[in-house]
Amino acid sequence: QVQVVESGGGLVQAGGSLRLSCAVSGRTFSRDDMGWFRQAPGKEREFVAAIRWTGFTSYGDLVKGRFTISRDNVKNTIYLQMSSLKPEDTAVYYCASNTAGRLVTGSTYWGQGTQVTVSS
């Protein structure tokens, strides 16, 4: 059974930093592309960042230069380091396992989401 579990969300002031973690079990993690997505109230889900099994990374335009995605294949975990946070970054952040780069597929597994709230 595949499990995708996010952690690290919370409340932070604008300009601050936060690090999200996502632990995966039940899959050969080192061969999976992984991604972070977010959804704010009343908005569609949007791509945040992805890291391929090769280590190649990509970012959404709104977070490029502020967020950094990384992975630890020993711990079966990916991270999202978020800096210079803005109120518009407020959303539920979801981890996705087995993406196709920045794209989700019918075989993508999702975590339950973690709330990030940035106060002005």
Side-chain angles (χ1 to χ4, degrees):
Q1 183 179 357
V2 178
Q3 287 190 314
V4 181
V5 181
E6 303 101 333
S7 61
L11 173 64
V12 63
Q13 288 188 335
S17 299
L18 208 57
R19 189 177 83 156
L20 305 182
S21 301
C22 170
V24 180
S25 60
R27 290 192 56 83
T28 305
F29 178 83
S30 62
R31 301 294 290 184
D32 275 350
D33 293 355
M34 299 287 300
W36 288 99
F37 296 78
R38 68 187 183 186
Q39 188 166 21
K43 295 187 176 181
E44 293 188 352
R45 183 181 66 199
E46 66 173 346
F47 168 73
V48 175
I51 184 164
R52 307 209 70 154
W53 68 273
T54 57
F56 180 81
T57 59
S58 58
Y59 296 91
D61 289 341
L62 296 177
V63 307
K64 199 173 297 183
R66 300 187 297 122
F67 291 10
T68 302
I69 188 171
S70 61
R71 66 190 299 156
D72 183 333
N73 287 341
V74 174
K75 296 182 178 180
N76 286 8
T77 299
I78 64 166
Y79 304 95
L80 185 68
Q81 179 66 48
M82 305 183 292
S83 302
S84 302
L85 283 161
K86 305 174 182 180
E88 50 264 44
D89 293 318
T90 295
V92 178
Y93 284 69
Y94 295 93
C95 177
S97 171
N98 194 35
T99 64
R102 61 171 60 198
L103 302 177
V104 299
T105 74
S107 300
T108 295
Y109 297 89
W110 294 93
Q112 80 287 351
T114 186
Q115 176 71 45
V116 172
T117 303
V118 184
S119 63
S120 57

